[in-house]
Amino acid sequence: MKIAAVLTAAAATTTVASGNLLRDPKTVVQKQNDGALTEGQRRLATQVFDSCLSLHMNKCKQIIDAAHAANPAAFGNVASILYITLKVRPVLLTADILANPDLLLDVPDYQLIGLRTDSDNTHVVGIKGDGIVTYPYSWCVTDAAEATGYRCQEIGPWDCYDELATPPTGQTFVQCCNDIKAETGHLMPDMHGNYLDCYNSPPPLENLEDPLDLGRVYLHIDANNR
């Protein structure tokens, strides 16, 4: 996967599909304090460098270093940028999975769907804020009727936006995950004996345990450091 969406100060979202980031769980204190930031602080903490998409991390750093040199104040007037790299799960093409479903076994927790929640960790908002949840891989089940002995198919996306709520909002993590599992229950387990499940993927906002740092940049990279 060629993704290098860069976030300063550990802020809000990347361009990847929900569930594609490897899990980076927060402590209870971090989750409690995420909601303490004002919207103004969140906006201040966020800079996304779309020009880094698909670039090698070293080239991306050059772009960000140039932005830092041009406007040090946007980075908290730090002398140098602190870069932190985070790995994303690899992309597996549908055709490749169809040819060899065992490729999924090389992906950590491939059976888990990341549910992007809001800053309070209470409702599912999705990567784009519309409540839509996607799964990046094909799901393969045993099927004796197929010559290969298995059948693979795309699953999702799922709409976890609750229009009946007052006011309308995203479903809770439990509601969304239960709906997904109910819809896909007939496909469980997969040919490897795994069941689809969910993990909480809250926005990586700053908190009291990990204070706001405008001089810190997160690089989301693939196995090829892009």
Side-chain angles (χ1 to χ4, degrees), residues 60-89:
C60 181
K61 287 180 180 180
Q62 292 176 5
I63 293 173
I64 298 170
D65 286 341
H68 172 234
N71 185 11
F75 297 84
N77 290 310
V78 297
S80 60
I81 299 296
L82 171 63
Y83 289 101
I84 297 175
T85 58
L86 299 174
K87 292 288 187 178
V88 297
R89 294 194 288 191

Side-chain angles (χ1 to χ4, degrees), residues 169-192:
T169 187
Q171 293 179 325
T172 65
F173 175 87
V174 173
Q175 288 174 325
C176 179
C177 189
N178 284 345
D179 283 354
I180 291 173
K181 289 193 285 188
E183 181 180 317
T184 58
H186 64 291
L187 298 173
M188 304 298 146
D190 73 351
M191 62 181 295
H192 303 300

Side-chain angles (χ1 to χ4, degrees), residues 1-4 16 20-22 54-57 85-92 106-108 137 219-226:
M1 171 177 280
K2 296 184 177 180
I3 289 181
V16 300
N20 228 32
L21 285 176
L22 292 180
S54 297
L55 297 182
H56 190 276
M57 60 181 293
T85 58
L86 299 174
K87 292 288 187 178
V88 297
R89 294 194 288 191
V91 161
L92 294 178
D106 294 330
V107 181
Y137 305 117
L219 303 178
H220 295 272
I221 59 175
D222 63 12
N224 297 314
N225 292 323
R226 293 183 178 273

Side-chain angles (χ1 to χ4, degrees), residues 46-120:
T46 308
Q47 293 187 67
V48 180
F49 293 85
D50 291 329
S51 56
C52 282
L53 188 64
S54 297
L55 297 182
H56 190 276
M57 60 181 293
N58 291 337
K59 180 62 176 178
C60 181
K61 287 180 180 180
Q62 292 176 5
I63 293 173
I64 298 170
D65 286 341
H68 172 234
N71 185 11
F75 297 84
N77 290 310
V78 297
S80 60
I81 299 296
L82 171 63
Y83 289 101
I84 297 175
T85 58
L86 299 174
K87 292 288 187 178
V88 297
R89 294 194 288 191
V91 161
L92 294 178
L93 299 178
T94 298
D96 293 335
I97 295 177
L98 286 173
N100 182 14
D102 286 347
L103 289 174
L104 289 167
L105 298 176
D106 294 330
V107 181
D109 301 334
Y110 75 86
Q111 74 275 20
L112 298 184
I113 301 174
L115 303 185
R116 174 57 55 85
T117 52
D118 57 18
S119 59
D120 296 324

